[in-house]
Amino acid sequence: MENQTLEDQSLENRTIEILLVEDNASDIELALRAFKKNNIYNKVHIVKDGAAALDYLCRTGPYAALQGYPQPKLILLDLKLPKIHGLEVLRKIKSDERIKIIPVVILTTSKEEQDLIESYKLGVNSYIVKPIEFDNFIKVMSELGLYWLLLNKLPYK
Amino acid sequence: METILEATNEIFIGVEAKKGYNSAILNILDDFVIEKERLQQLQRASLNLLDDMYEERIGLERTQRAIMNILEDIEAEQQRAKRSQQLLEAANKELEAFCYSVSHDLQAPLRAINGFAQVVVEDYASKIDPEGQRYLRLIQENSQLMGKLIQDLLGFSRLGRQQLSSTEIDMEKMAKEVFDDLKLHMLDRTIQFQIDPLPWAFGDPAMIHQVFVNLLSNALKFTAIRDVAMIEIGFRQEGDEGFYFVKDNGAGFDMRYVDKLFGVFQRLHTTEEFEGNGIGLALVKRIVTRHGGRIWAEGAVDKGACFYFVLPKEMR
């Protein structure tokens, strides 16, 4: 439900500060609840697979109309994604001159060693494991928002 | 007459001379016979030698065939070993993919269970009576517990596949650091801690660190029932073998169940008595055995426990 209200508002009229790449409906709802608590709810755009994430960032496919609009301040990227795996999305982002400066935070369920190493090799800015306990989850999301949207300075607006 | 005599004499001389010739010829013939025999002997000896050489050659050929067979066997064995290795690698890959999937797909629903239970607690608190709220808390607690179990099990499985590094470890320093770290969380307790001089060991520092963490956490956990907890870390040399030990005066255990002590998810106490999920010692055992060492324990109910472990002295 909450998801739909977000999609009702046209993307052109909203300032998107966070791109959330997540396929799990429950995780999306819980993340949105956390964002709502931190008043960044309407600054989030959600895509549900790796291909859509790249379309959004490269302004291709369904997002061609967003050409010229500002890019998000943060990409929250899950790893196990349909179509294109999170690590591959990360590799594409970090090898594309136009979007490589956008901070990417991996937000995933597992802390598999090989994922961690590979993510950092590809130039990820941070790697966060989603806590199972909801209070901790809320805390992590709020800290993420605070740090990347308020404290962190970016070389673009 | 004279002439006849002379002639006779001459004949006589001739005969004598002939005799001389004859005997000389006979001598030569004798010599020939001897020579022939010698030659025959030589020939026989040569033939024998050839026979011997022939046998020798057959023997060599047989050895050569045997060696070829062995080489073929070795090659076949190598092929088999290579196939087993490939199968093992494939199985390992599969296990890794399985763990990866478990790690992601099994935990995501838990987060949802926990999260939505919390949502109900937050949004509908006024509509749910205290008993209902208690049930919600239980849902949350158990989903967290399951998350921890999954994490521990994955850690345990990962340990079996992880590469071991091998460096020299200052065991005394490491044990002391681990203890100091753990003690920070229980400043209200009275603990008598003793550490003897410990020889260095070879092993994977991160893993041996985990051994100390688990053994000392256990010692601290099971001495929580004592007014004064006594924990001792030491080293003993018996013959060729030297072993480290961690000893406590805690709840101890019944030696009848000592076999269960190191099994995965095996516990000798209820979670009400002492918390835990029964993976700590299994992990310790796996680490020690992967290092080529061994671990065992002694204890008695209410008399404390002592864990001994041996680590290799040299780099592998």
Side-chain angles (χ1 to χ4, degrees):
Chain A
M1 284 303 284
E2 282 164 316
N3 221 345
Q4 272 166 0
T5 44
L6 259 191
E7 276 159 15
D8 285 345
Q9 299 179 309
S10 82
L11 278 172
E12 287 92 335
N13 298 331
R14 282 196 294 143
T15 317
I16 296 303
E17 299 201 325
I18 295 178
L19 178 69
L20 175 64
V21 192
E22 172 69 68
D23 63 315
N24 184 307
S26 295
D27 272 355
I28 291 174
E29 200 173 330
L30 292 174
L32 285 178
R33 191 177 166 92
F35 289 141
K36 212 176 223 169
K37 288 193 178 200
N38 293 293
N39 294 321
I40 36 178
Y41 175 69
N42 63 351
K43 293 174 179 165
V44 181
H45 180 64
I46 298 156
V47 286
K48 291 176 183 170
D49 63 66
L54 290 171
D55 268 342
Y56 179 86
L57 292 165
C58 301
R59 311 307 198 200
T60 48
Y63 296 103
L66 288 180
Q67 196 75 43
Y69 279 81
Q71 290 283 8
K73 287 181 178 173
L74 176 66
I75 300 166
L76 292 177
L77 184 62
D78 192 11
L79 284 182
K80 257 195 117 186
L81 289 168
K83 292 183 188 170
I84 302 177
H85 191 271
L87 285 175
E88 183 59 19
V89 175
L90 177 63
R91 199 184 63 76
K92 288 229 163 77
I93 292 171
K94 290 302 177 190
S95 57
D96 187 327
E97 279 303 321
R98 296 166 300 165
I99 51 175
K100 69 193 289 187
I101 56 170
I102 308 172
V104 179
V105 172
I106 299 286
L107 188 63
T108 184
T109 304
S110 88
K111 48 171 188 226
E112 286 287 315
E113 191 82 1
Q114 80 254 34
D115 283 345
L116 257 166
I117 294 170
E118 193 57 25
S119 298
Y120 275 101
K121 272 188 187 161
L122 291 171
V124 81
N125 299 79
S126 190
Y127 191 109
I128 309 280
V129 176
K130 292 181 235 178
I132 285 186
E133 203 199 345
F134 192 60
D135 282 344
N136 286 339
F137 183 74
I138 298 272
K139 217 170 112 197
V140 164
M141 296 306 264
S142 115
E143 277 165 11
L144 271 177
L146 177 74
Y147 179 81
W148 290 102
L149 300 189
L150 293 175
L151 293 175
N152 192 47
K153 291 285 167 257
L154 287 169
Y156 60 92
K157 266 210 150 186
Chain B
M1 194 58 198
E2 190 89 343
T3 351
I4 294 168
L5 266 175
E6 271 177 19
T8 314
N9 205 18
E10 256 173 46
I11 290 166
F12 182 75
I13 289 168
V15 168
E16 280 299 300
K18 253 192 185 151
K19 269 185 186 165
Y21 283 140
N22 276 347
S23 75
I25 286 170
L26 278 173
N27 278 346
I28 289 171
L29 276 176
D30 269 0
D31 283 355
F32 268 132
V33 168
I34 290 168
E35 195 62 26
K36 197 181 139 194
E37 267 172 15
R38 201 180 294 138
L39 270 172
Q40 277 172 347
Q41 262 168 20
L42 216 69
Q43 203 175 20
R44 270 199 301 278
S46 299
L47 279 170
N48 282 343
L49 212 67
L50 280 174
D51 269 3
D52 284 357
M53 273 170 68
Y54 181 71
E55 267 166 32
E56 195 65 27
R57 213 184 90 191
I58 286 181
L60 271 174
E61 273 174 3
R62 215 174 285 140
T63 313
Q64 205 175 19
R65 267 200 304 278
I67 289 173
M68 292 291 281
N69 282 342
I70 291 171
L71 282 176
E72 272 169 23
D73 284 356
I74 289 174
E75 203 170 315
E77 196 55 46
Q78 276 173 342
Q79 286 292 333
R80 260 197 296 279
K82 207 174 153 192
R83 264 201 302 279
S84 312
Q85 179 73 21
Q86 280 167 346
L87 282 175
L88 188 69
E89 272 167 22
N92 249 340
K93 269 224 173 79
E94 212 166 276
L95 187 65
E96 230 152 81
F98 174 77
C99 288
Y100 190 86
S101 178
V102 166
S103 165
H104 274 96
D105 303 340
L106 232 57
Q107 289 195 97
L110 278 179
R111 207 168 39 249
I113 292 169
N114 192 283
F116 291 121
Q118 181 65 28
V119 170
V120 175
V121 169
E122 284 176 9
D123 293 1
Y124 302 92
S126 58
K127 294 179 189 161
I128 300 168
D129 65 9
E131 190 62 359
Q133 293 191 13
R134 193 177 71 86
Y135 286 135
L136 282 170
R137 263 201 312 282
L138 284 174
I139 291 174
Q140 287 184 294
E141 275 170 27
N142 279 285
S143 59
Q144 276 167 44
L145 190 65
M146 186 169 164
K148 175 110 182 51
L149 282 177
I150 293 174
Q151 277 304 317
D152 287 349
L153 207 56
L154 285 174
F156 185 69
S157 145
R158 210 174 285 129
L159 194 66
R161 291 168 286 136
Q162 210 169 305
Q163 282 278 338
L164 288 188
S165 69
S166 191
T167 46
E168 246 184 315
I169 301 168
D170 184 341
M171 298 289 276
E172 196 179 325
K173 189 167 165 247
M174 186 181 269
K176 206 173 166 329
E177 279 170 1
V178 169
F179 178 78
D180 289 343
D181 237 29
L182 293 170
K183 211 179 67 177
L184 279 181
H185 304 290
M186 38 194 83
L187 292 170
D188 52 329
R189 287 183 52 186
T190 313
I191 302 160
Q192 264 183 31
F193 179 62
Q194 189 195 322
I195 182 160
D196 304 338
L198 302 180
W200 290 50
F202 274 103
D204 187 308
M207 291 200 187
I208 300 303
H209 188 267
Q210 191 65 47
V211 168
F212 279 125
V213 168
N214 290 13
L215 289 181
L216 282 170
S217 304
N218 270 0
L220 285 164
K221 179 162 70 181
F222 292 106
T223 50
I225 47 169
R226 303 279 180 247
D227 293 333
V228 179
M230 288 199 283
I231 295 168
E232 185 191 347
I233 300 181
F235 181 83
R236 210 178 294 157
Q237 184 79 37
E238 270 176 23
D240 270 357
E241 202 170 59
F243 45 84
Y244 301 88
F245 65 85
V246 177
K247 197 177 168 187
D248 67 62
N249 67 336
F253 61 88
D254 190 332
M255 277 302 271
R256 274 182 299 173
Y257 307 121
V258 69
D259 291 345
K260 286 193 163 181
L261 213 55
F262 296 102
V264 184
F265 291 144
Q266 296 280 359
R267 303 203 69 227
L268 300 187
H269 303 272
T270 63
T271 37
E272 279 82 37
E273 288 175 293
F274 298 100
E275 61 168 21
N277 57 23
I279 209 152
L281 285 177
L283 208 66
V284 167
K285 183 175 182 181
R286 194 160 214 183
I287 292 173
V288 172
T289 45
R290 276 210 66 192
H291 276 80
R294 62 194 189 92
I295 183 162
W296 67 101
E298 281 169 7
V301 175
D302 215 31
K303 297 262 162 58
C306 189
F307 290 86
Y308 305 89
F309 62 97
V310 180
L311 284 178
K313 274 177 282 186
E314 277 153 36
M315 196 94 88
R316 280 182 303 163

